[in-house]
Amino acid sequence: QVQLVESGGGLVQAGGSLRLSCAASGSIFSVNDMGWYRQAPGKQRELVAIIAAGGSTRYADSVKGRFTISRDNAKNAVYLQMRSLKPEDAARYYCNADVAPYSSRLYFNYWGQGTQVTVSS
């Protein structure tokens, strides 16, 4: 079965950096768009960044210039390099991807379990 697993979260001081990783595993035929979302307590889940299979990227205005999304298609992985972290970046970060399992070769949307990012001021 396809699953997404995030890693790299943790506690960091404001102004610091973290790199999040997400790898899709299972019997995978193809992976299309991959992205990162976050949700802070009392707030709605929001898109942070997305990267298409061809490499084009989009970012939320709040992270533009500070975060960089990238992917490794050979590893079915997506990464989020976060720099100049602010307290308002603190949230649980979720990996999301459109993945086609080998069994069906049809795309389904998958979510990871999330990884916590805490930013101290």
Side-chain angles (χ1 to χ4, degrees), residues 3-4 6 36-37 45 94-97 109-114:
Q3 65 173 0
L4 304 178
E6 305 98 328
W36 290 94
Y37 292 74
R45 183 180 61 191
Y94 297 90
C95 178
N96 179 265
N109 189 254
Y110 294 87
W111 290 93
Q113 81 289 349

Side-chain angles (χ1 to χ4, degrees), residues 12-25:
V12 65
Q13 291 185 345
S17 299
L18 280 176
R19 186 174 188 256
L20 307 183
S21 299
C22 172
S25 63

